[in-house]
């Protein structure tokens, strides 16, 4: 038994934020019915063709779902949607600003008919305020939230290499839905959840925000290095390989000088006696560290760091991650079926040992349409008519 077995989720979703949310719900056993436009579907299906001819984004965020194609502009399709909502637990949508309200799918409209329903809307800026109607994509929210101002090199900003704003919104939607399901057990009623991508990213920007409070200087862009702790970041070794390392306190600084750099006198250097001083003189200190590391291979440096308990990591590529020995040792890979054959997928993180996560196939566009319509009581003739009218 999985925690969300028996929970029914209707998803009017596209791109990443909402699909990532509902995939987490599906992992825990929820039945997720994904509504897609006939013939086109979720536009994330066409982002690329890297995974056996399918989109990497779509494969990542849409396993264990049922795909129902519906043209919601047609009355017959709207009737099908409301039949689904009648016993649904959750509606998740990330349509264009105001689109759900125009379709009569606001919480206020639905709660009168379906008092049990939880309605979660994911948007760029929220359902009110001066930015309500602005389009919002992941990179734009990275910029608007200040993330780009502290990410990158001193010369230029850089975006995150993954859809960090979408992921943040998807995860806050997911956790709020879980909380709402618990609350409904006490109250018997659903609720409205509004998730703003901007607000999610601003929450994640807490450290830079507080660092810059009262008009103080924000953290500088420091590439892959830490903006406010040094030494903390990438260092190149004599064999040309890069090792990431991080020091957190003065005890580690002392042992780093004595055992890793083999330069114990450095601990007495007035320029480096505290982290603020090391930051102030980071260029000089980096030169000293680089000179020492030029005499070591990456493997030798990691051996020294591990021996004295200083945190370090490899600068892995995507290919390295596919073959990561830790993930292999913990059995973190499985197979998921797709319309184009099986693909490897990582298991969801943090799932308790009391149940196995749901890892069902990724659906083809409209794959479950006829089965769902039949389940709702539509006759073969009615289903055929909906196909003729392109309502599905």
């Amino acid at each position: 038994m999985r925690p969300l077995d028996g929970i029914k989720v209707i998803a009017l979703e596209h791109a990443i934020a909402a699909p990532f949310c509902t995939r987490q719900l599906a992992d825990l056993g929820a039945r997720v019915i994904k509504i897609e436009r006939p013939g086109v579907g979720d536009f994330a299906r066409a982002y690329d063709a890297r995974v056996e001819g399918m989109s990497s984004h779509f494969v990542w965020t849409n396993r264990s779902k049922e795909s129902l194609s519906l043209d919601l502009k047609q009355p017959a399709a709207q009737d099908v949607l409301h039949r689904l909502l009648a016993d649904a637990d959750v509606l998740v949508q990330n349509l264009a600003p105001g689109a759900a309200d125009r379709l009569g799918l606001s919480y206020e409209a639905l709660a009168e008919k379906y008092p049990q329903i939880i309605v979660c809307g994911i948007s760029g800026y929220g359902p009110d305020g001066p930015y309500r109607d602005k389009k919002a994509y992941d990179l734009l929210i990275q910029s608007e939230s200040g993330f780009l101002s502290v990410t990158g090199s001193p010369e230029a900003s850089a975006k995150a290499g993954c859809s960090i704003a979408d992921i943040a919104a998807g995860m806050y939607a997911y956790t709020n839905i879980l909380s709402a399901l618990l609350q409904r057990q006490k109250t018997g009623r659903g609720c409205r959840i509004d998730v703003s991508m901007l607000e999610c990213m601003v929450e994640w920007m807490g450290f830079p925000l507080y660092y810059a409070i009262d008009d103080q200087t924000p953290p500088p862009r420091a590439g892959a290095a830490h903006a406010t702790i040094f030494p903390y970041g990438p260092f190149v070794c004599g064999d040309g390989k890069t090792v990431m390392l991080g020091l957190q306190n003065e005890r580690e600084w002392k042992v780093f000088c004595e055992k890793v750099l083999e330069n114990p006198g450095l601990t007495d250097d007035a320029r480096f006696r505290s982290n603020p001083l090391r930051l102030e003189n980071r260029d000089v200190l980096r030169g000293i560290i680089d000179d020492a590391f030029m005499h070591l291979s990456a493997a030798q440096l990691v051996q020294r760091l591990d021996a004295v308990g200083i945190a370090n990591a490899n600068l892995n590529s995507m290919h390295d991650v596919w073959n990561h020995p830790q993930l292999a040792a913990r059995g973190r890979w499985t197979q998921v079926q797709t319309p184009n054959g099986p693909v490897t997928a990582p298991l969801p993180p943090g799932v308790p040992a009391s149940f196995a996560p749901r890892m069902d196939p990724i659906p083809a566009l409209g794959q479950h349409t006829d089965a769902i319509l039949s389940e709702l009581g539509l006759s073969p003739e009615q289903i055929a008519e909906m196909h003729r009218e392109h309502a599905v």
Side-chain angles (χ1 to χ4, degrees):
M1 181 179 178
R2 299 183 180 97
L4 297 186
D5 283 351
I7 296 296
K8 181 178 174 182
V9 178
I10 308 302
L12 296 171
E13 60 179 24
H14 56 258
I16 301 303
F20 189 58
C21 163
T22 58
R23 200 216 75 193
Q24 318 301 311
L25 299 172
D27 289 345
L28 298 185
R31 181 187 186 188
V32 178
I33 299 176
K34 181 182 180 78
I35 310 296
E36 300 192 71
R37 285 183 292 179
V40 179
D42 183 341
F43 54 73
R45 286 182 179 273
Y47 277 174
D48 58 63
R50 303 289 291 201
V51 187
E52 304 294 336
M54 298 169 292
S55 162
S56 56
H57 290 77
F58 192 86
V59 168
W60 165 40
T61 58
N62 286 284
R63 66 172 178 250
S64 305
K65 300 180 185 179
E66 300 169 51
S67 174
L68 168 63
S69 60
L70 284 180
D71 179 1
L72 293 178
K73 295 179 181 178
Q74 298 200 33
Q78 292 183 20
D79 178 66
V80 167
L81 177 60
H82 279 276
R83 291 194 192 199
L84 290 170
L85 292 172
D87 65 347
D89 297 282
V90 183
L91 170 66
V92 179
Q93 64 86 13
N94 66 333
L95 303 177
D101 289 353
R102 291 192 294 272
L103 288 168
L105 299 175
S106 67
Y107 172 72
E108 290 73 17
L110 292 177
E112 294 181 8
K113 299 178 181 178
Y114 322 119
Q116 84 289 349
I117 200 162
I118 296 162
V119 178
C120 178
I122 304 174
S123 62
Y125 297 100
D128 50 21
Y131 280 45
R132 180 192 66 182
D133 296 325
K134 284 179 70 72
K135 287 187 175 181
Y137 304 132
D138 183 87
L139 177 56
L140 306 182
I141 298 297
Q142 288 189 37
S143 180
E144 197 74 43
S145 66
F147 179 84
L148 293 186
S149 75
V150 298
T151 305
S153 67
E155 295 75 29
S157 295
K159 66 181 288 293
C162 62
S163 306
I164 186 171
D166 284 323
I167 294 169
M171 291 306 294
Y172 278 111
Y174 165 59
T175 55
N176 274 275
I177 289 168
L178 295 180
S179 297
L181 288 168
L182 289 173
Q183 184 183 52
R184 194 183 65 178
Q185 290 181 349
K186 302 174 183 178
T187 67
R189 293 190 62 86
C191 66
R192 182 183 69 182
I193 300 169
D194 292 322
V195 175
S196 154
M197 293 170 66
L198 175 65
E199 291 161 16
C200 294
M201 280 302 297
V202 168
E203 165 65 22
W204 283 14
M205 294 300 293
F207 141 63
L209 278 169
Y210 280 119
Y211 193 87
I213 199 169
D214 297 330
D215 293 324
Q216 297 182 88
T217 304
R221 292 192 298 269
H226 197 289
T228 60
I229 303 174
F230 194 83
Y232 196 142
F235 292 88
V236 179
C237 299
D239 57 2
K241 296 180 179 179
T242 299
V243 172
M244 299 285 290
L245 64 88
L247 275 65
Q248 291 282 338
N249 52 55
E250 296 310 307
R251 181 193 63 78
E252 289 186 350
W253 166 245
K254 184 174 185 293
V255 75
F256 178 73
C257 295
E258 293 174 351
K259 302 297 185 181
V260 179
L261 298 181
E262 296 182 340
N263 184 357
L266 204 58
T267 59
D268 297 323
D269 193 312
R271 297 170 296 178
F272 311 133
R273 283 180 178 167
S274 68
N275 180 65
L277 289 170
R278 291 192 289 274
L279 268 176
E280 184 179 336
N281 297 287
R282 67 189 301 160
D283 291 341
V284 176
L285 181 53
R286 173 170 281 281
I288 295 170
I289 295 171
D290 286 345
D291 288 344
F293 287 178
M294 279 298 103
H295 301 287
L296 299 171
S297 67
Q300 290 171 327
L301 175 56
V302 168
Q303 187 176 30
R304 287 192 186 185
L305 293 168
D306 284 343
V308 295
I310 290 178
N312 64 87
N314 297 305
L315 187 60
N316 282 337
S317 68
M318 290 296 94
H319 300 110
D320 295 327
V321 177
W322 277 116
N323 297 288
H324 201 292
Q326 180 69 6
L327 297 174
R330 284 177 48 79
R332 297 305 300 167
W333 300 106
T334 188
Q335 293 279 303
V336 170
Q337 294 297 321
T338 80
N340 296 352
V343 298
T344 302
L347 289 162
V351 175
S354 58
F355 68 94
R358 186 177 173 200
M359 302 291 290
D360 288 354
I362 293 149
L365 173 58
Q367 177 180 340
H368 303 89
T369 298
D370 288 2
I372 293 172
L373 296 179
S374 296
E375 179 185 329
L376 293 173
L378 276 70
S379 68
E381 293 75 21
Q382 289 174 309
I383 295 172
E385 176 65 17
M386 292 189 73
H387 279 285
R388 282 193 296 270
E389 295 297 324
H390 304 291
V392 296

